[in-house]
Amino acid sequence: VLCWFYVFPVYRLPSDKEIVEEVLRQGEDWQKNQTGIDLYRKLLSECCDPKRMFAVTKENSPVGKVLWYDGEFYYSHTVNNNTYSLFVQENPLQLPLKKCAVVGNGGILRHSKCGRDIDQADFVMRCNLPPISKEYAEDVGTKTHLVTANPSIIEKRFQSLLWSRKDFVDSMKVYGSSYIYMPAFSMRPGTDPSLRAYYTLADSSSNLTMLFANPEFLRTVGKFWKSHGVHARRLSTGLFLVSLALGLCEEVTTYGFWPFSVDLDQRPVSHHYYDNILPYKWFHAMPEEFVQLWHLHKSGTLRVRVGRCA
Ligand code: CDP
């Protein structure tokens, strides 16, 4: 039987309504498929070597190494003594990670009561320094092991750290002793704010560890999904994390991935669980990405949670 996710990407993306219907048809059924998990881990290690390459490390980026920015045309940084000193020695994660939860920021998380499920994972990944205060804990949990931070957040929310840095240091406390994963070498204007974020945390003797995303890893992951039919100018942060998780974890569950305007009861849903600010339409292709995630869900390779957890 040809399913819509095989047919539609060629002609058109299914409408929000069609996706809701398809997700409802599948219901809460999910069966883990070890062959699928092993296959994706193999494919991802062949294309992108996440274990060795996901972060910039002293091991993969010695002094003199040229880091080509993945979000710029022909622009690079050559590792020097200063930048080298900021890199971790090697991949610091204790591998393999067992159960991983990748938490997107979709409004579908609101009232989901998925917090407890998320906190039960061995490794929790979140996107873009999201709010996880008491108000949201029941729905999104409280634990974090890795959180991404886009340099644009440092610019907008923390005035590029050129003024007070206390606000930034205080805001980071909710993430405990997790890894902050920053694409410092992706876009030219992002490098300085990322380095300032590093120094700010180092100077405040914070428990967080800064990891710079390796632009080579981001580029190869982008190519991998392009060959699977995701035609975005740039992948969303969430799909980068899912790819990382598929490469490093024994089991992956996603929460908060739902880039559609209505929920499973056809009620309007906000873009984020904490606001309704929409992304630039032309930049990401989140619905296309969801189709891929759903494909992996149906094949038992990862589990996509979109309904309520309790
Ligand atoms: O910066 P970006 O637009 O990539 O991310 P975000 O809005 O902070 O959300 C984090 C991630 O959650 C996104 O990268 C998407 O993968 C996912 N997301 C989703 O699937 N559906 C939504 N309505 C919002 C976010």
Side-chain angles (χ1 to χ4, degrees), residues 254-274:
T254 69
Y255 303 83
F257 284 78
W258 186 255
F260 308 109
S261 52
V262 291
D263 67 12
L264 295 176
D265 299 321
Q266 302 280 6
R267 279 192 301 246
V269 62
S270 59
H271 182 59
H272 292 135
Y273 66 83
Y274 47 85

Side-chain angles (χ1 to χ4, degrees), residues 124-141:
V124 179
M125 306 186 185
R126 300 183 191 271
C127 305
N128 295 327
L129 304 178
I132 51 168
S133 54
K134 259 203 186 127
E135 184 190 347
Y136 302 108
E138 196 181 17
D139 295 331
V140 307

Side-chain angles (χ1 to χ4, degrees), residues 16-76:
D16 290 15
K17 191 163 169 276
E18 284 166 321
I19 290 188
V20 168
E21 280 166 6
E22 158 64 21
V23 171
L24 284 172
R25 233 189 330 272
Q26 176 76 13
E28 282 297 298
D29 287 351
W30 185 76
Q31 197 132 37
K32 179 170 159 177
N33 168 5
Q34 195 58 46
T35 316
I37 294 175
D38 293 343
L39 173 68
Y40 265 80
R41 186 168 316 125
K42 182 164 172 286
L43 290 175
L44 280 159
S45 43
E46 280 166 7
C47 74
C48 319
D49 197 0
K51 277 186 194 157
R52 198 173 92 82
M53 294 302 289
F54 89 102
V56 178
T57 63
K58 287 191 164 77
E59 187 256 320
N60 64 34
S61 303
V63 174
K65 163 96 184 173
V66 179
L67 299 172
W68 289 101
Y69 282 49
D70 59 297
E72 299 274 356
F73 182 67
Y74 211 69
Y75 185 75
S76 64

